[in-house]
Amino acid sequence: MRHRGSGRRCGVAAAESGLSESGVRVPVMRLAVEAEQLAKQYRGRGGTVDAVRGVDLSVGAGEVFGFLGPNGAGKSTTVRMLTTLLTITSGTATVAGVDVATDPDGVRRRIGVALQEAGLDARQSGRELLILQARLFGMSAAQARIRAEELLELVDLVDAADRRIKGYSGGMKRRLDLASALVHEPDVLFLDEPTTGLDPASRLTVWDELRRINARGTTIFLTTQYLEEADQLCHRVAIIDGGLIVREGTPDELKAELRDRRGLDAEPTLDEVFLDATGRTRERRAGEVQEVSG
Amino acid sequence: MSALEQANVLGGRALREAWRTPEALAPTIFIPVFFLIVNFGQAGKIFPSDSTDFLYGQTYAAFQLPISLLLAASFGTAALYLVEEIEGGYFDKLRAAPVARTALVSGRLLAEGAKSVVITAILVAIALPLGVSIASGLAGFLLLLLLTSLWAVVFSGFMQLIALKTRSAAATNSGGLIFFPLLFLTPNFVPRELLTRPMEIAATLNPVTYVMEAMRALILQDLSWTPVIRGFGVVAVLGVLMVTLNVRVIRAYD
């Protein structure tokens, strides 16, 4: 577990062992995502904005990693840097062992991306979209058709496969977006608020999908505003505020730390950890515990 | 998969998109036909075919046809679809895939070129009853299709550039209006030598003039290579410029 300014990395979920130079078997961390002092600065007419101010991250292979923070904290900017969509101002990042800045195409081949607002082409059918995505990842037309069928079955969209996407419900679009991110069986799946705007039933369906995907060995890097979602799905979480990581650890570790530090009788919720970490209080944000804005 | 294959796959998608939005496609035929008929109707009697040298025995509609072809090739709807994609997030999905940046920009441009071939053929067919024929024959007709299609690529490249820079539908739409001054600063009603001196200078400086004159040469005369080569030269230079600028912008796209 890490606290504001401590700079200590917590252990990652997946670890392998290897031989050191002296022949002693030592644990070797297999990292899916690693960032050191990652920063993003925007320059505009109004001056310079430091959106991310030196983020260190270590996400182990096979983990579901939750990246939490209030609106404008730097979550999406960090994800966009890690997924090659934004240039990195300073610091380094590797995803699936590939350097994001020097080999962006290598990273793109190993990641799946589903960003905020399902990014789909509404004029295509679900099947066409998946086939196109598979073709762009180098599959032949025949392979792409087969892969699209597999994914449609996985996300339960076979019946709607040949309908135009513009007629899909929000939940269907999210599932299709997920499927399109999985077309090439990525090592790391980046999901930016994958359940925002979904009804509770659709949210649960997406959670089930994510558990299934993770069970197949895919690392999931998830940003969310829903703390219950992070609690349910994530092996570890990091909380970012003002462009800096202010807490990192397993949900249980973070709750236990708050309980001990505050001398609480009952175990706090992840909501309370979040509010404590971001310097916000329930009183200040009555009724907005789940979605706190800075 | 090579960048060319990726561009082809993305171009196929853009063509499907155009085919599925006939309401956006219809004006690209209707408005050029409207201008052809109105301009021919208004000035056809002023320039009778038997006594107007620059018509080479054809009707004034043949002289006006290149303007309609250029207009049809300069709608730039593809750029508006691109803005939609940027706003909706699908463009980021494509950017996050291992797709060559050149393919990302040229997919839509290829589709615009292909679409323009079909629209040009339709417009030529519509013009035939107005006394228009392609004097340079089948080879000339094919060159006319190619030239118009390449102009469509150039103009779409320009519109796409605005879309990528501004990410705004309103700005992209407004940017498209730049074509109208360029279209009217040409020998659009009479040949260049009959224009007033200031207009002749403006037309000579305007690259659209050379594309229009090449089209006119293909429609009105036997194959006359000098204006045709000049027209192709202009679209080649502008085409390379537009693709280069598009690739530069998309590489720096944040």
Side-chain angles (χ1 to χ4, degrees):
Chain A
M1 182 178 56
R2 187 161 55 134
H3 257 209
R4 191 192 302 261
S6 73
R8 187 170 64 85
R9 290 263 173 77
C10 77
V12 292
E16 291 176 338
S17 62
L19 290 176
S20 71
E21 282 177 11
S22 58
V24 179
R25 193 160 285 277
V26 294
V28 175
M29 299 302 179
R30 208 154 51 87
L31 293 177
V33 178
E34 188 175 24
E36 282 183 12
Q37 287 303 299
L38 193 64
K40 180 68 188 177
Q41 202 172 56
Y42 292 106
R43 288 192 182 88
R45 285 177 197 155
T48 303
V49 176
D50 291 305
V52 176
R53 298 188 290 152
V55 160
D56 292 335
L57 283 171
S58 298
V59 180
E63 265 194 305
V64 180
F65 184 82
F67 199 47
L68 316 175
N71 292 332
K75 297 188 300 291
S76 294
T77 303
T78 304
V79 168
R80 290 177 74 81
M81 283 192 281
L82 294 173
T83 54
T84 77
L85 292 172
L86 271 182
T87 53
I88 295 169
T89 305
S90 64
T92 59
T94 59
V95 175
V98 181
D99 190 287
V100 175
T102 59
D103 186 9
D105 251 7
V107 171
R108 289 173 193 137
R109 272 189 279 276
R110 290 164 177 84
I111 61 169
V113 180
L115 300 173
Q116 281 182 38
E117 307 292 326
L120 302 168
D121 178 359
R123 290 186 189 89
Q124 313 291 315
S125 71
R127 189 189 305 279
E128 286 168 345
L129 185 114
L130 292 177
I131 289 174
L132 176 86
Q133 193 75 2
R135 298 278 284 131
L136 293 177
F137 274 91
M139 292 183 204
S140 68
Q143 287 171 327
R145 273 195 298 275
I146 293 167
R147 183 66 184 143
E149 195 61 40
E150 287 169 0
L151 288 166
L152 288 164
E153 281 171 23
L154 178 78
V155 296
D156 197 20
L157 283 174
V158 174
D159 291 343
D162 297 308
R163 275 168 41 200
R164 304 269 171 86
I165 295 165
K166 68 179 170 190
Y168 283 18
S169 68
M172 290 163 80
K173 283 180 182 168
R174 281 290 179 194
R175 274 146 52 208
L176 182 64
D177 198 20
L178 255 184
S180 75
L182 294 171
V183 89
H184 53 301
E185 299 185 35
D187 295 335
V188 186
L189 180 60
F190 286 91
L191 303 172
D192 195 6
E193 302 193 13
T195 60
T196 298
L198 294 189
D199 61 59
S202 302
R203 187 176 299 166
L204 289 176
T205 309
V206 171
W207 288 5
D208 287 342
E209 293 300 343
L210 296 184
R211 288 192 184 103
R212 252 192 305 200
I213 292 161
N214 179 243
R216 294 174 173 203
T218 306
T219 305
I220 297 179
F221 190 105
L222 170 82
T223 79
T224 181
Q225 299 255 18
Y226 301 114
L227 303 175
E228 184 202 355
E229 182 165 280
D231 215 357
Q232 289 281 329
L233 292 174
C234 299
H235 300 126
R236 285 191 315 126
V237 299
I239 300 173
I240 184 170
D241 192 25
L244 289 168
I245 303 284
V246 291
R247 293 283 189 285
E248 191 177 333
T250 67
D252 286 344
E253 282 173 348
L254 294 177
K255 288 177 207 170
E257 186 278 331
L258 181 63
R259 187 190 58 215
D260 295 345
R261 181 159 49 84
R262 291 254 179 106
L264 302 172
D265 295 331
E267 181 161 276
T269 62
L270 199 54
D271 291 11
E272 286 163 324
V273 171
F274 180 90
L275 292 171
D276 174 70
T278 57
R280 289 158 176 84
T281 65
R282 281 181 188 280
E283 290 71 29
R284 276 176 58 196
R285 290 281 164 187
E288 286 186 52
V289 174
Q290 297 265 336
E291 194 159 341
V292 180
S293 56
Chain B
M1 188 180 241
S2 69
L4 192 63
E5 285 171 306
Q6 288 174 335
N8 200 30
V9 168
L10 290 169
R13 177 189 71 105
L15 279 178
R16 267 203 307 275
E17 177 183 75
W19 179 247
R20 285 174 184 173
T21 42
E23 63 277 13
L25 206 53
T28 61
I29 295 175
F30 173 74
I31 293 173
V33 169
F34 173 83
F35 272 103
L36 180 67
I37 291 171
V38 167
N39 287 346
F40 177 47
Q42 285 183 346
K45 276 192 178 174
I46 302 170
F47 303 109
S49 51
D50 50 4
S51 59
T52 309
D53 289 347
F54 63 78
L55 294 182
Y56 297 90
Q58 292 206 46
T59 66
Y60 189 62
F63 192 82
Q64 281 294 308
L65 182 58
I67 295 157
S68 291
L69 297 183
L70 281 168
L71 194 57
S74 309
F75 266 74
T77 41
L80 295 174
Y81 290 134
L82 176 63
V83 174
E84 264 184 36
E85 255 174 38
I86 291 170
E87 287 173 347
Y90 188 61
F91 188 61
D92 278 342
K93 190 113 188 158
L94 293 175
R95 287 202 307 127
V99 181
R101 306 295 101 166
T102 45
L104 273 183
V105 294
S106 55
R108 281 192 178 281
L109 300 184
L110 282 177
E112 281 301 295
K115 209 169 79 181
S116 178
V117 167
V118 176
I119 291 172
T120 303
I122 291 171
L123 288 175
V124 169
I126 289 172
L128 294 179
L130 301 177
V132 175
S133 63
I134 307 297
S136 55
L138 181 62
F141 176 62
L142 295 176
L143 285 172
L144 183 66
L145 292 181
L146 182 63
L147 182 61
T148 317
S149 149
L150 288 173
W151 173 257
V153 170
V154 167
F155 194 78
S156 300
F158 168 69
M159 293 287 280
Q160 198 165 267
L161 202 58
I162 300 174
L164 287 168
K165 284 298 267 186
T166 66
R167 305 172 198 189
S168 148
T172 305
N173 234 342
S174 305
L177 295 176
I178 197 171
F179 178 66
F180 281 95
L182 288 178
L183 187 64
F184 286 101
L185 287 175
T186 55
N188 58 334
F189 286 109
V190 289
R192 215 177 338 158
E193 58 271 19
L194 298 182
L195 295 174
T196 60
R197 186 66 185 145
M199 277 304 290
E200 189 189 347
I201 293 168
T204 303
L205 294 172
N206 180 2
V208 181
T209 295
Y210 302 100
V211 184
M212 187 183 282
E213 286 178 345
M215 289 176 167
R216 233 167 232 162
L218 290 166
I219 294 168
L220 295 171
Q221 299 167 258
D222 290 339
L223 270 179
S224 166
W225 287 108
T226 306
V228 172
I229 289 169
R230 217 182 284 145
F232 273 97
V234 166
V235 292
V237 169
L238 291 178
V240 169
L241 181 69
M242 287 305 155
V243 172
T244 306
L245 290 175
N246 270 269
V247 171
R248 272 183 67 168
V249 168
I250 204 166
R251 286 208 170 123
Y253 190 99
D254 247 3

